[in-house]
Amino acid sequence: MRAALAPALIFCLWAAAAFVVRCHNLHDVFIGGRIYFTDGDCYSRMTRVRLIEEHPWTAIRHQDFENYPIGTTTHTTVPMDYLILATKGCSTALLHALDPARTSLLEGQTLDVGGALVSPLLGAIACGFIALFARSLSFGRAWGWAAPLLWCASPIVVHGTLLGRPDHQSLQMALLAVALVAELRLAERASRGWAIAAGLSWGLALWVSLYEPAILFGAVLALWLWLRPRALIACERWPEWITLICIGGIALAIEGWPVELPDPAMRDALARWGGTIGELGRISPFSPLLFKWLGSGWITFPVLLGLACREDRRALPAGMLLALTTVLTCWQIRWGYFMALVYVLTLPWQLAALWRGWGWLWEWVAARVRAPRFVRIVLDIAAIGCAAVLALWPLIAEWDLRLHPDSTQQTNAHTELMLLRETAESLRGPERAGFLAPWWISPPLAYWSGQPGVAGSSHEAIAGIVDSARFYLAVKPAEAADILKRRKVSRVIADDPDRVIAKCAPILGEPATGLRMSNVLFERPREPTAYLVPTFSNAYFKVFAVDEARLKP
């Protein structure tokens, strides 16, 4: 009985710890009695989820709440959408059970609650699963705790599964954790159960995205073909391929083929826009950012995994996969989530190799200097403590900044979010009316107002992003009027001109000098042009109605 309860207890304890850590930003998500999400992409996802909730059992292949009125053929898939709806249903049931009178502030925000909780729940489940995997490693359980601990504490892993971040990356991380663990178990011993788990997790991960999961799947296949090609066609592996093919067929039947190449006319602008996106940036392999994510010990992984190969040959392909994801992370920062996942899974091997190295050093010293046994115990404890502090120090410093942010900046950020929501509510109306706003605030405006926007935060909306940039950087009113008429815009939102110009100018690849439409709108709101009429303003944003009769043909 105890043996059966132990795994469940370990899973629950680690999952609970991971969930609590991922809710450290509660004060940034729950502001003034309302729920706010962490990124613009999250609002785009939640707009999709709301559309699916209104039309159940559908898959959205074309959406016009961005790049209005043309819309986009989206590459976003439905698994995360329906998982958010499922989380909403469970959280609503729990909320009603705890508050039968339905007086909670969350009562009218159940969809937002589902969106806010889905990622930390996925991170918590993945942490419990990793803890069980680490506990089952054949070379001993002494270092198994390190894997779930780093999954709990790594800032990049926490960010990927953060409260208020309903992004598909959290689902990818959880599915790929299962897939990679299943592959490691299959490398130890062929099993139909683990083969089905691998096929199911790979299939769902590829359904969610054909980018990171596809590259990792190809890398894992290449490693199997290089090291043990016959194992791929063993009878025990057939369930994996059958499951994978079945899920792929279901995904194609529901989604169609979601991959679409960008418009050739927009490729240069897309590249320039991508240069402004933080997660598409490049970093050095010796960047302090990597140490803040994984600790100061991460740089030693090639040596430690090389030593670990002597005891467990699975450390070799794991190390090669870690090297690949490190290179990809240096190319695009967004790969950091998956590099951290692979690093977490290899950590027990690394620590076991480090401990063996410490043992060899002690044996060498003991052969030359006699010392009582208690000295070895004291030195072991001191070595473990020093290694832990040195390895985790960058993480501790990073968490100190996260848990103790600048209060003035935080207050200003909260105020801006609340005023942006107030601005969005001014756009509400019974009729569908497109708006034009800077691309980074268009997704929350579309979600809160229920109105479609010209710009967006996805690469499929690059045409709308470019048009919005051209509008705000226009020098002549006639140029701006042409964009409004062509895009059938009814409302225009003005933001701080310095910020708008700084973010829009790189997209167009031209210097932004002189007086631009963005300056006119914000600094001269009474009568910026003949065809824009001020209708709403607060300390951060201004709204103008488009007088179509005055737009020049």
Side-chain angles (χ1 to χ4, degrees), residues 15-36:
F19 183 82
V20 170
V21 172
R22 279 146 181 78
C23 295
H24 75 274
N25 65 328
L26 180 64
H27 53 280
D28 292 324
V29 175
F30 195 73
I31 305 171
R34 290 179 166 181
I35 292 175
Y36 294 81

Side-chain angles (χ1 to χ4, degrees), residues 134 137 139-150 294-298 300-309 311 315 322 343-360 383-392:
L137 289 173
F139 54 80
R141 302 177 182 178
W143 307 108
W145 56 268
L149 176 63
L150 187 60
L294 304 176
S296 57
W298 99 272
T300 63
F301 82 82
V303 175
L304 294 179
L305 289 177
L307 293 174
C309 290
E311 299 295 329
L322 180 54
Y343 183 81
V344 164
L345 295 179
T346 64
L347 198 56
W349 277 282
Q350 295 186 54
L351 293 180
L354 183 63
W355 183 250
R356 285 195 297 272
W358 169 255
W360 296 335
I384 292 173
C386 291
V389 170
L390 290 174
L392 296 177

Side-chain angles (χ1 to χ4, degrees), residues 363-388:
E363 290 175 5
W364 182 83
V365 172
R368 289 159 177 78
V369 179
R370 290 189 177 183
R373 181 175 176 81
F374 79 89
V375 174
R376 169 69 188 272
I377 296 174
V378 171
L379 288 177
D380 285 348
I381 296 174
I384 292 173
C386 291

Side-chain angles (χ1 to χ4, degrees), residues 122-209:
L122 286 169
I125 292 170
C127 186
F129 180 79
I130 290 171
L132 294 182
F133 161 70
R135 180 176 180 268
S136 68
L137 289 173
S138 58
F139 54 80
R141 302 177 182 178
W143 307 108
W145 56 268
L149 176 63
L150 187 60
W151 183 269
C152 276
S154 171
I156 185 65
V157 176
V158 172
H159 183 264
T161 54
L162 193 63
L163 178 72
R165 192 173 186 269
D167 194 279
H168 70 284
Q169 285 167 333
S170 60
L171 180 55
Q172 282 182 272
M173 293 168 69
L175 291 171
L176 291 174
V178 177
L180 294 176
V181 165
E183 296 291 346
L184 288 171
R185 296 304 299 268
L186 288 169
E188 181 181 24
R189 182 174 61 86
S191 164
R192 292 190 177 184
W194 282 112
I196 293 174
L200 187 63
S201 52
W202 280 123
L204 290 173
L206 291 169
W207 186 351
V208 172
S209 173

Side-chain angles (χ1 to χ4, degrees), residues 176-241:
L176 291 174
V178 177
L180 294 176
V181 165
E183 296 291 346
L184 288 171
R185 296 304 299 268
L186 288 169
E188 181 181 24
R189 182 174 61 86
S191 164
R192 292 190 177 184
W194 282 112
I196 293 174
L200 187 63
S201 52
W202 280 123
L204 290 173
L206 291 169
W207 186 351
V208 172
S209 173
L210 285 175
Y211 182 35
E212 295 97 345
I215 293 176
L216 289 176
F217 181 63
V220 170
L221 280 183
L223 289 171
W224 275 108
L225 289 171
W226 176 45
L227 297 172
R228 293 173 59 186
R230 292 185 179 180
L232 290 175
I233 57 175
C235 294
E236 291 81 4
R237 298 297 294 272
W238 290 0
E240 178 178 354
W241 312 128

Side-chain angles (χ1 to χ4, degrees), residues 518-550:
S518 180
N519 302 104
V520 173
L521 289 174
F522 204 83
E523 297 167 3
R524 306 177 185 178
R526 290 299 176 187
E527 292 185 3
T529 63
Y531 51 80
L532 291 177
V533 181
T535 60
F536 175 85
S537 68
N538 54 38
Y540 279 83
F541 307 98
K542 303 182 188 302
V543 179
F544 300 85
V546 177
D547 188 344
E548 298 182 2
R550 296 186 178 183

